[in-house]
Amino acid sequence: MSEWKDTLQVEAQDLKATGPVTLAQLARRLATAADFEVTLAIKKQALGPYIEQVWGWEDEFQRVFHAENFKPDSTTLLLYEEREIGLLEAEEQPDSFFIQSLLIVPELQGKGIGTALLNEFITKASAVNKPVRLDVLQVNKSALKLYQRLGFTIRDTTELTFQLILSTQHEVSNS
């Protein structure tokens, strides 16, 4: 196991959020190229188990893949109690908004962070009348459940993913 992951895991284990976490409790900052390691560590913690199920996790392959696909300009780091606990990577496209990744470290999943961020994102997309699109691995049942609860529907299916869309006509969910 890589040292960078061990370090982030130890820090994340110290986080204590017994109830919902509000957006007001989160700090955010645009990622920079210097955030390569921390974003890879967040990816490994939050998405790693699903990648492992589908392809197997190989550190070197994932490092190269992340290097080729990491876009600091479209990545926002999420901070809770001054620690990086997740990321949101999203882009506005001509006909929609596309969420590439919404990742929260496992210790803070299920605390309302994803729901709050998605509702905020949906509200912004609705203001400009654009749908929101994203892909989710079929094995990631908890993420699919969250997206469907917020009104996303399956637009298409690939061998490994569901391609989801949310019309801007959808009302923001408070659940």
Side-chain angles (χ1 to χ4, degrees), residues 41-74:
I42 291 167
K43 177 182 176 183
K44 186 170 186 175
Q45 288 183 58
L47 199 55
Y50 305 106
I51 291 172
E52 179 69 35
Q53 287 179 50
V54 176
W55 297 285
W57 182 279
E58 295 179 21
D59 280 332
E60 190 53 35
F61 176 85
Q62 290 299 328
R63 179 174 288 283
V64 170
F65 184 82
H66 190 63
E68 292 171 352
N69 294 283
F70 177 48
K71 299 176 188 172
D73 291 345
S74 62

Side-chain angles (χ1 to χ4, degrees), residues 8-49:
L8 190 59
Q9 271 191 323
V10 169
E11 290 176 3
Q13 288 172 354
D14 294 337
L15 295 173
K16 304 292 182 212
T18 56
V21 175
T22 66
L23 289 180
Q25 294 173 286
L26 290 179
R28 302 176 210 192
R29 68 175 176 81
L30 193 58
T32 68
D35 292 312
F36 177 86
E37 293 293 340
V38 74
T39 55
L40 181 58
I42 291 167
K43 177 182 176 183
K44 186 170 186 175
Q45 288 183 58
L47 199 55

Side-chain angles (χ1 to χ4, degrees), residues 34-141:
D35 292 312
F36 177 86
E37 293 293 340
V38 74
T39 55
L40 181 58
I42 291 167
K43 177 182 176 183
K44 186 170 186 175
Q45 288 183 58
L47 199 55
Y50 305 106
I51 291 172
E52 179 69 35
Q53 287 179 50
V54 176
W55 297 285
W57 182 279
E58 295 179 21
D59 280 332
E60 190 53 35
F61 176 85
Q62 290 299 328
R63 179 174 288 283
V64 170
F65 184 82
H66 190 63
E68 292 171 352
N69 294 283
F70 177 48
K71 299 176 188 172
D73 291 345
S74 62
T75 303
T76 300
L77 280 167
L78 310 170
L79 295 90
Y80 178 71
E81 297 181 352
E82 300 181 20
R83 296 186 182 139
E84 291 93 354
I85 56 95
L87 62 85
L88 173 64
E89 183 182 3
E91 295 180 324
E92 182 173 6
Q93 299 177 338
D95 62 341
S96 65
F97 283 93
F98 184 71
I99 298 175
Q100 179 67 37
S101 298
L102 173 56
L103 304 175
I104 309 294
V105 295
E107 294 81 4
L108 291 177
Q109 291 176 8
K111 304 292 183 191
I113 297 169
T115 298
L117 287 167
L118 286 166
N119 278 332
E120 179 183 75
F121 198 84
I122 291 164
T123 298
K124 289 178 181 178
S126 294
V128 294
N129 199 29
K130 287 188 177 184
V132 179
R133 297 181 306 107
L134 57 87
D135 296 344
V136 63
L137 287 171
Q138 290 183 22
V139 297
N140 192 345
K141 303 290 187 208

